[in-house]
Amino acid sequence: MRLSDLRGRTVAVWGTGREGRAAVTAIAAHGPAELVAVDDSANFLSLPWDGLLAEAAPLVTGEAGFDRLAAADVVVRSPGVPQTHPWMVELRRRGVPVTQGTALWMADHAVRTVGVTGSKGKSTTSSLISHLLTATGRPNVFGGNIGVPTLDLPEAELYVLELSSYQCSDLTDSPRVAVVTALFPEHLDAHGGEREYYRDKLNLLAHDPRTIVVNGGDSRLAAELGELPAVRAGRPDTTHVATGSDGTPWFHLGDQPLFPRAVLPLVGRHNEGNLCVALAVLDALGIDVVAVKDSLAIAVAEFQGLAHRLTEITDPSGLTFVDDTLATSPYAAMHAIDAYDGRPLTVIVGGADRGLDYGPLRDHLAERELNIIGIPDSGSRIVAALAGLPGVHCEVVDDLTAAVRQARKLTPADGVVLLSPAAPSYGRYRNFEHRSEAFLEAIEETSAH
């Protein structure tokens, strides 16, 4: 289904955040017979619905919203509306067509798109791909889940999109290059279970992409893909890290050395894998990676990484504060903790409680020494899961500011205070950016300077 297919039809847009707003604006321009917006979760965090938006699509809130959804020819849901929402279940039972803005956009732009998803690494990898394409003379537009809704993107010859599992689930067209960085259980409450989550995430690959590129070092992803033809980055026949002639790690394409690992400013082995995937995408797009390796090395060295993803914040106390608020699962937090191995470490965890299993985090920390501070809503459950580990000091506080204040007391001056929540931001914050702002405010508020 394309945007143009909505002309003359009754359309209900479900959700009034960034994606919902972009959908209303785009759909209104295509002449629907009727357009309404529905928000069943309006609260104090909701943004005003007024002006041109309200003129284009009157807002219906609360239980009355379901009647408008059920009466529509097409429902365009925001990614934040879970598959398990009771209204979604009933709409499917009634046979009401449900799609998303990203699916509408992809129907017209798939052939010009690199789409990147993954349980971890999709933000950094998609950013690297866009950055390296630009450095090699391939202008592109970057957007998607990382901040700019697809329906707000300008026309371009090439797009690089970060796509969440929610966005992937409704696609009926795969991008030209479909990329998966990692796979582990996440967002299970929104998808209905582990199998459903993997199904929705890997729907990115289900509609005849020209090329599939995956992280070849991810065992769960390999098991899910089976024999599906794909470029498996990290293996010796494609882009990978191996010891160079100087005895240090180098990035390679096959047997051809590209540049030293030291060029990449991002910490952690997982970021080596992210860059291998990005380089494999360039190779798949026909770029002679070996020929332009010097330009790539310069571009990699200049890559600043993403805000909210292991972003270091200096402090007069000598502590290094790290904003890793995008780490919304225990597996992501584990990678972040590993990145600061060898330094005194206090980790702040907790957020919206999706019922995730924190057993893997407990196993990962069994031989570690660090402090864990839990904050609402899931912080107390994470701390309970870690109870009894000999080297892990755990406590629970009331909010993020209290956590930062306590972290200052627990962490030596040369140590690290890491906000890696292992849980999403929603509930107490509008989104991850809002939680990041709160972290910065807490650092400032608790500083003695």
Side-chain angles (χ1 to χ4, degrees):
M1 183 182 297
R2 291 175 162 81
L3 275 169
S4 58
D5 295 328
L6 302 181
R7 182 178 302 277
R9 306 182 77 178
T10 299
V11 181
V13 172
W14 186 1
T16 58
R18 283 185 297 200
E19 291 279 348
R21 289 164 181 261
V24 164
T25 301
I27 294 167
H30 283 78
E34 183 181 3
L35 180 61
V36 298
V38 173
D39 189 350
D40 65 306
S41 59
N43 57 37
F44 70 99
L45 294 173
S46 300
L47 299 173
W49 188 265
D50 52 22
L52 295 177
L53 285 169
E55 292 179 19
L59 178 62
V60 182
T61 59
E63 292 297 322
F66 176 74
D67 293 335
R68 302 308 295 270
L69 296 174
D73 296 325
V74 178
V75 171
V76 180
R77 70 180 176 113
S78 293
V81 175
Q83 294 278 15
T84 53
H85 193 295
W87 291 4
M88 275 291 294
V89 174
E90 180 60 18
L91 290 173
R92 284 196 294 266
R93 189 188 71 79
R94 297 188 185 193
V96 178
V98 179
T99 187
Q100 281 187 60
T102 298
L104 294 168
W105 182 92
M106 192 71 75
D108 287 318
H109 299 87
V111 72
R112 291 178 277 159
T113 300
V114 176
V116 183
T117 195
S119 303
K120 180 178 172 56
K122 61 183 179 296
S123 301
T124 297
T125 302
S126 55
S127 298
L128 273 166
I129 293 168
S130 177
H131 178 70
L132 297 181
L133 284 171
T134 300
T136 54
R138 294 291 299 274
N140 61 92
V141 169
F142 182 43
N145 184 60
I146 200 165
V148 182
T150 51
L151 290 175
D152 279 344
L153 296 176
E155 282 298 311
E157 294 184 5
L158 183 62
Y159 298 90
V160 179
L161 301 184
E162 182 207 323
L163 298 170
S164 70
S165 56
Y166 310 124
Q167 291 169 310
C168 291
S169 64
D170 288 330
L171 294 178
T172 54
D173 301 87
S174 290
R176 171 183 175 182
V177 181
V179 183
V180 187
T181 60
L183 201 62
F184 51 74
E186 195 177 24
H187 309 302
L188 303 189
D189 57 334
H191 292 272
E194 186 170 346
R195 297 306 320 158
E196 291 80 4
Y197 167 67
Y198 294 159
R199 175 203 65 203
D200 289 346
K201 176 71 81 174
L202 296 179
N203 188 48
L204 180 74
L205 315 180
H207 306 285
D208 298 321
R210 187 176 303 177
T211 306
I212 296 172
V213 178
V214 301
N215 174 4
D218 188 295
S219 58
R220 186 177 283 106
L221 178 55
E224 291 295 323
L225 293 179
E227 299 301 315
L228 186 69
V231 177
R232 298 173 191 257
R235 296 187 177 182
D237 61 335
T238 179
T239 49
H240 65 285
V241 178
T243 302
S245 58
D246 60 357
T248 64
W250 277 60
F251 287 95
H252 290 70
L253 174 58
D255 60 359
Q256 295 294 312
L258 299 176
F259 44 79
R261 162 60 176 95
V263 168
L264 177 65
L266 305 184
V267 298
R269 291 288 299 276
H270 62 289
N271 278 318
E272 295 177 10
N274 292 337
L275 180 53
C276 285
V277 171
L279 292 169
V281 169
L282 265 64
D283 184 53
L285 288 172
I287 294 171
D288 189 337
V289 172
V290 175
V292 298
K293 63 183 181 181
D294 292 340
S295 297
L296 288 172
I298 293 170
V300 168
E302 293 174 343
F303 186 71
Q304 297 299 308
L306 298 178
H308 324 300
R309 175 66 79 196
L310 292 179
T311 302
E312 297 190 352
I313 304 161
T314 56
D315 187 74
S317 67
L319 290 172
T320 300
F321 286 89
V322 181
D323 177 7
D324 194 43
T325 192
L326 281 170
T328 59
S329 75
Y331 297 90
M334 286 152 53
H335 283 299
I337 290 168
D338 285 350
Y340 291 95
D341 190 26
R343 294 185 65 180
L345 181 63
T346 298
V347 186
I348 301 171
V349 299
D353 195 342
R354 299 176 302 181
L356 292 177
D357 176 14
Y358 288 98
L361 179 61
R362 178 185 176 86
D363 295 341
H364 193 72
L365 300 182
E367 305 297 326
R368 302 292 292 264
E369 292 187 4
L370 73 165
N371 304 306
I372 299 285
I373 301 176
I375 59 175
D377 295 320
S378 61
S380 59
R381 193 166 69 82
I382 298 172
V383 164
L386 304 180
L389 290 177
V392 180
H393 167 81
C394 293
E395 56 186 280
V396 178
V397 297
D398 291 337
D399 56 36
L400 186 52
T401 300
V404 171
R405 183 176 291 110
Q406 185 63 7
R408 288 187 180 276
K409 297 176 183 178
L410 295 173
T411 316
D414 61 340
V416 175
V417 177
L418 169 65
L419 173 64
S420 195
S425 55
Y426 298 109
R428 293 178 179 260
Y429 302 100
R430 288 188 298 273
N431 46 41
F432 67 86
E433 295 101 333
H434 188 197
R435 180 163 62 184
S436 180
E437 292 169 8
F439 184 49
L440 291 173
E441 291 171 1
I443 294 169
E444 179 65 26
E445 183 177 334
T446 59
S447 174
H449 299 277

